[in-house]
Amino acid sequence: MRPDATTRTTLAKAADENFPVAPFFLPRGWRDDLMAVYGYARLVDDIGDGDLAPGGADARHLGLDPARAGDRLAMLDAFEADLLRIFPGDGDGEGPRHPLLRALVPTVRRRTLAPAPFLGLIEANRQDQLVRRYRTWDDLTRYCELSANPVGRLVLAITGTASPERIRRSDAVCTALQIVEHLQDVAEDLAADRVYLPADDMKDFRVTEGDLAAPTAGEPVRALIAHEAARAGRLLEEGIPLVGSVHGRLRLLLAGFVAGGRAALAAIADAGHDVLPGPPRPTRTRLMREVGAVLHRARREG
C-alpha cells in the first residue's frame, strides 16, 4: 500500500530523532515493522501536540469533521477507536480507516502484538491534555511508563526477544530517553504550557518558571538540568546489560538507542547544561563514538 502525503510527512520525522528508528542494517521485516510502530507512535504524539498536517486529512480518516482536527481529546478518542479495529474482539468488525493504522495491521498480525502498549501511548497523550506539571520524579517516571516504555516493549516483541529482565531494563532506557528529550525541549515545552521538570526539584534548586522562560539559563537552572541529566544517565546505565544480552544486529540496534541517549546527554553537558536557547543536539560523530563505547562495555560486561 502506497502511503499518502500525510503518512509520508509523519514517517519523515524519523530523521529528527536522537537515535535511529529502523537502521539499514536490520532485516527488512524488522525495518518494516519498526517503521509501522514508529508511524503509529509519531502520529499519536502529533495529535497530542496539535502538530498534525494542515487540511484535516487525519480527522477525515478517523471519521471526524475536519473542523474538529484541533480537538485533541476527540481526535485521540477517535484514533483509539480506529486502533481497536485491528484487534479481534476489541473493535466493531471493520478494519482501521487511518492509513498509518492500516499499515500497522500486518505488523500486529505477524508479531502477535497486544493492544496494551499502543493504548498506553494514547493514554499518555490524553494525560498531556490534562496534566501539565509533575510534582515529583516518581510522578514523572510514571508518566514515562505510558509515554515511552511501550515503545521499547514493542521493539522487544517485534524482535522476539522479550523477557521479564529485558523488559525491566528496556523500561529504564526508554524512561531515560524520554527524560533526555524533555531536558532538550524545556523552552519549547514551556511555550506550550508544559513543564516536565519535577516541581519538588525546581523548589530545591530555587528555580521558577520565570527562570525557564529566560533566553539563557542562570546557574540554578543549569544545576537543575545537570541533576536531572545525571538521573537519566543512571537509567541509561541499566541498558548496558540489555545490549549485552542479545546478539547480532539487534545488539547494534539497542546499542544505538542507549548511545543516542548518552550522546544527547553529552550535548547537553557540552552546552553547559543551558538548554534554554534551543535543544542541544549531538553530532553524528559523537553518536558513533557512543555506539562504540556501549558495544565495548556490553561485550566486556556480558
Side-chain angles (χ1 to χ4, degrees):
M1 179 178 62
R2 186 171 183 174
D4 67 359
T6 56
T7 299
R8 290 195 299 271
T9 299
T10 300
L11 294 177
K13 295 179 182 180
D16 297 328
E17 301 294 342
N18 280 331
F19 48 85
V21 173
F24 71 93
F25 57 78
L26 294 179
R28 176 62 182 270
W30 283 6
R31 293 203 311 273
D32 290 347
D33 290 340
L34 289 170
M35 283 305 297
V37 166
Y38 173 80
Y40 172 88
R42 183 69 265 169
L43 182 57
V44 174
D45 281 352
D46 286 350
I47 293 172
D49 291 340
D51 194 26
L52 294 172
D58 292 294
R60 282 193 295 273
H61 288 314
L62 297 174
L64 292 179
D65 185 327
R68 299 191 68 191
D71 185 339
R72 301 179 192 183
L73 287 172
M75 287 287 291
L76 289 168
D77 287 346
F79 194 67
E80 180 176 294
D82 207 31
L83 166 72
L84 291 176
R85 293 185 177 100
I86 297 176
F87 297 93
D90 290 332
D92 57 12
E94 302 177 8
R97 300 166 183 167
H98 197 286
L100 275 170
L101 289 177
R102 291 201 298 270
L104 187 62
V105 171
T107 294
V108 169
R109 300 281 187 266
R110 186 162 46 243
R111 308 298 180 184
T112 321
L113 301 180
F118 299 103
L119 292 170
L121 294 173
I122 293 175
E123 190 58 33
N125 278 276
R126 281 202 188 98
Q127 187 166 313
D128 274 337
Q129 312 314 309
L130 305 171
V131 181
R132 296 179 176 273
R133 307 292 188 276
Y134 292 87
R135 186 175 67 82
T136 69
W137 173 261
D138 287 344
D139 292 339
L140 185 59
T141 57
R142 278 192 290 272
Y143 164 72
C144 294
E145 290 174 9
L146 296 171
S147 66
N149 298 3
V151 176
R153 293 181 178 219
L154 285 167
V155 170
L156 294 177
I158 286 170
T159 57
T161 54
S163 71
E165 178 65 8
R166 285 177 179 146
I167 289 172
R168 184 184 72 80
R169 293 188 180 277
S170 171
D171 285 352
V173 171
C174 290
T175 290
L177 293 175
Q178 180 75 88
I179 298 298
V180 170
E181 183 176 333
H182 290 327
L183 296 179
Q184 291 174 307
D185 295 339
V186 168
E188 179 182 334
D189 289 335
L190 184 64
D193 192 27
R194 293 175 181 169
V195 178
Y196 294 102
L197 298 168
D200 284 356
D201 292 347
M202 290 177 63
K203 181 178 179 181
D204 289 343
F205 283 85
R206 295 180 171 83
V207 171
T208 69
E209 291 190 18
D211 296 326
L212 301 181
T216 60
E219 185 54 37
V221 172
R222 292 171 187 254
L224 173 61
I225 298 299
H227 174 72
E228 307 301 353
R231 282 175 150 176
R234 288 192 290 272
L235 287 172
L236 282 174
E237 286 294 298
E238 296 191 39
I240 302 296
L242 172 64
V243 174
S245 75
V246 298
H247 303 281
R249 287 176 280 188
L250 179 57
R251 175 176 286 194
L252 186 56
L253 175 68
L254 298 186
F257 292 159
V258 176
R262 286 164 55 107
L265 286 176
I268 291 171
D270 289 344
H273 297 99
D274 184 2
V275 298
L276 300 186
R281 300 293 185 192
T283 64
R284 182 172 179 80
T285 299
R286 183 59 187 250
L287 176 60
M288 293 300 100
R289 189 185 313 153
E290 291 293 347
V291 169
V294 170
L295 288 172
H296 177 72
R297 280 191 54 191
R299 286 193 298 267
R300 188 183 67 202
E301 299 174 13

